[in-house]
């Protein structure tokens, strides 16, 4: 989704903006642009395509030495096709200001008609351009830049992260936020703004998150933040612990592969600090979570999108089994527009890697309005979902740059497992199984050993199947969400059609798809007892219809070798860890198929890392 970066200070502005934009590339975009000061005027350079194309344009025009302040933007089209014209920044009629914007202005049509009537002329089909003209309108009425921005912001409906530069005020950058993240980076004699932390990491780790309705003025020396009533707000900066290296590829061909291989550490970081070394119990006191929080809770809703939704489905199995409280799992885009039965005895759990997903955030707000307590599982410190929750449990996955979620997923599952242990003890008043906790602690070591073995086998299998146009993924019980996740992953990055299904449901429809050209990936773990036997029968149903099988199964599952030679063996463990162990081979499989198909793995077409619009 769109990305913003802005700079004010003594450095040459173009390299700062380009560096920031490159670090936002992972969010997905179709065009890019910058605005900066040159000979006392605002100069915009923008283009459809990649950042490299923008760099070429800047180079051709010899603009690399331009002066700050400046703004950069990567656009992910919503209103108006990807094109040079629709790329940001956008000017008003007189080029007196330039705007970059993330989000969607819902009343743009009405505003545009108003402005057209007043004689403004538009150069693009975007909703963003109305903002520039609206500010211009207030300037014309005699407002100073800050006042004009505040007045314009009050007329906007929808979501926005805005950054604006004014020709008549080259000593300042202006930003505003509503439902779309803005983070301000603090430096010595310089300041930065971005829509996302990675853009700031090369320059600073001291940041301030803007809240909804706030507007800020950045100069070289100072950052001033104002609330919607115009009162100045004093906010302490937050220190971002992620280092630069963790946001770089570190020798891997793609972020996705690096992030797959980072999973042992990510799981270790997520679990270690929450397991009391003395008594082996799960302890969330450092996260501000205590037993009291769960008082009176009779029902849980877990709400999320995409991969995080699949983690939520795993959470249902874990929590219902261990705590005995009913758990409903819903897609955020559905939840927000239905009439969920929620009251003060409901706990709402939002799961979101980015903490900015528009549908999840809207669902959280709806649940809060209806009286639910809100706990979120997020990876990004200070993100909107995190800030609006009563309690936040941060996964310690580190920055996830690849659009396809991998380590965020396994750490979300890990966190849900820890939460289920905690609730088992504190809410259901039953002792968690020590073997399970110990198995979780030894999981990173097992993964480190197994991952490269799986990878070798998967490379072999992928060569046989990379051309397939359809895949079926089957799993049961706690491995059903993993079948869904495996199918999502290969769709996302290899552009291969895939369906995830509950294995027992296959005969009610998808069995009709089975034929020699359609491989079925089947997940079967001996730890699931009778469910293993049932899944084996489903695999036999596929094989007897000449459907090729790829089996991800427990070590020593001889039965599957009778059906296929494409077997990936997973060591035996406890049932609650199966989702983490079984999803990793599927991530690697999707990765290898995508690589063989020549796909843009880290930035798959049409996708965005953080989906901040509906
Ligand atoms: C994951 O591979 C996807 N890119 C996507 O489904 C993602 O999980 C979804 O958009 C939710 O994002 P969030 O976790 O940041 O809320």
């Amino acid at each position: 989704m769109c990305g913003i970066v802005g700079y004010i200070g003594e450095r040459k502005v173009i390299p700062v903006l380009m560096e920031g934009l490159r670090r936002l590339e992972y969010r997905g975009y179709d065009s890019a642009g910058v605005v900066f000061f040159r000979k006392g005027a605002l100069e915009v350079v923008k283009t459809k395509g990649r950042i490299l194309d923008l760099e070429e344009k800047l180079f051709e025009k010899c603009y690399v030495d331009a002066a700050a302040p400046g703004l950069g933007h990567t656009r992910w089209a919503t209103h108006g096709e990807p094109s040079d014209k629709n790329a940001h920044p956008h000017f008003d009629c007189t080029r007196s200001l330039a705007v970059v914007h993330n989000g969607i202005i819902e009343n743009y049509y009405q505003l545009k008609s108003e402005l057209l009537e007043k004689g403004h002329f538009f150069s693009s089909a975007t909703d963003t351009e109305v903002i520039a003209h609206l500010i211009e309108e207030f300037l014309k009425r005699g407002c100073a830049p800050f006042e004009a921005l505040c007045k314009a912001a009050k007329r906007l409906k929808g979501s926005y992260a805005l950054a604006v530069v004014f020709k008549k005020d080259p000593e300042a950058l202006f930003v505003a936020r509503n439902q779309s993240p803005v983070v301000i980076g603090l430096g010595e004699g310089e300041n930065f703004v971005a829509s996302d932390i990675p853009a700031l990491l090369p320059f600073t780790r001291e940041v301030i998150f803007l809240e909804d309705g706030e507007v800020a003025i950045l100069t070289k020396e100072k950052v001033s933040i104002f609330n919607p009533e115009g009162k100045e707000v004093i906010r302490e900066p937050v220190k971002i612990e992620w280092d630069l290296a963790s946001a770089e590829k570190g020798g891997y061909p793609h972020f996705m592969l690096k992030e797959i291989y980072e999973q042992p550490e990510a799981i270790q970081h997520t679990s270690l600090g929450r397991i009391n070394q003395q008594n082996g119990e799960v302890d969330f006191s450092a996260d501000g979570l205590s037993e009291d929080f769960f008082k009176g809770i009779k029902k849980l809703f877990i709400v999320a999108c995409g991969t995080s939704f699949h983690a939520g489905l795993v959470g249902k199995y874990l929590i219902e089994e261990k705590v005995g409280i009913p758990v409903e799992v819903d897609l955020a885009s559905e939840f927000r527009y239905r009439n969920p039965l929620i009251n003060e005895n409901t706990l709402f759990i939002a799961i979101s890697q980015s903490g900015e997903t528009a549908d999840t955030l809207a669902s959280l707000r709806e649940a809060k309005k209806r009286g639910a307590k809100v706990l979120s599982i997020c990876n990004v410190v200070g993100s909107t979902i995190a800030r609006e929750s009563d309690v936040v449990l941060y996964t310690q996955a580190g920055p996830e740059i690849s659009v396809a979620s991998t380590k965020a997923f396994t750490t979300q599952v890990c966190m849900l497992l820890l939460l289920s242990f905690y609730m088992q003890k504190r809410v259901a008043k039953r002792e968690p199984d020590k073997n399970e906790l110990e198995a979780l602690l030894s999981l990173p070591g097992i993964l480190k050993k197994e991952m490269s073995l799986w990878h070798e086998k998967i490379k072999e299998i992928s060569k046989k199947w990379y051309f397939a146009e359809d895949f079926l993924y089957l799993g049961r019980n706690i491995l059903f969400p993993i079948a869904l996740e495996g199918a999502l992953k290969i769709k996302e990055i290899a552009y291969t059609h895939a369906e995830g299904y509950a294995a027992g449901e296959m005969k009610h429809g998808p069995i009709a798809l089975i034929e020699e050209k359609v491989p079925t990936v089947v997940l079967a773990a001996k730890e699931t007892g009778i469910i293993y036997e049932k899944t084996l029968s489903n695999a036999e149903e596929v094989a007897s219809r000449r459907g090729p099988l790829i089996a991800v199964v427990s070590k020593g599952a001889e039965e599957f070798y009778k059906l296929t030679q494409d077997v990936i063996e997973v060591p035996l463990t406890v049932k609650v860890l199966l989702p983490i162990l079984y999803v990793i081979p599927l991530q690697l499989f999707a990765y290898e198929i995508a690589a063989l198909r020549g796909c843009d793995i880290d930035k798959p077409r049409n996708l965005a890392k953080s989906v901040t619009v509906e």
Side-chain angles (χ1 to χ4, degrees), residues 273-274 281-295 297 300 319 347-349 373-377 389-394 415-427:
R274 273 106 178 188
E281 282 178 15
V282 176
D283 182 355
F284 285 119
S285 50
D287 300 281
L289 182 63
S290 71
E291 206 168 317
D292 281 355
F293 184 72
F294 297 97
K295 263 201 187 123
I297 296 299
L300 261 69
I319 296 172
L347 173 59
F348 176 94
I349 302 183
K373 283 186 175 169
V374 173
L375 179 150
S376 65
I377 297 177
S389 303
D390 299 313
V391 171
V392 47
L393 301 178
Y394 284 112
M415 188 61 86
L416 286 159
L417 177 59
L418 291 168
L419 186 65
S420 72
F421 286 142
Y422 185 82
M423 290 179 73
Q424 183 176 20
K425 168 104 185 165
R426 310 288 174 121
V427 179

Side-chain angles (χ1 to χ4, degrees), residues 305-308 351-357 360 403-405 412 485 488-489 492 607-611:
C305 303
T307 288
S308 299
I351 307 180
S352 175
Q353 181 283 130
S354 61
E356 302 293 349
T357 303
T360 311
V403 165
S405 216
Q412 287 165 349
E485 176 58 10
L488 175 68
K489 217 80 304 171
E492 265 189 305
L607 287 174
K609 183 65 184 164
S610 155
V611 184

Side-chain angles (χ1 to χ4, degrees), residues 465-471 473 486-499 519 590 593-594 597 599 605:
W465 291 115
Y466 73 92
F467 53 83
E469 287 305 330
D470 300 281
F471 282 90
Y473 283 69
L488 175 68
K489 217 80 304 171
I490 202 163
K491 271 190 278 224
E492 265 189 305
I493 60 163
Y495 316 143
T496 308
H497 168 248
E499 286 201 44
I593 298 273
R597 290 171 73 109
C599 299
R605 69 183 178 207

Side-chain angles (χ1 to χ4, degrees), residues 53 266 559:
D53 303 316
E559 305 82 350

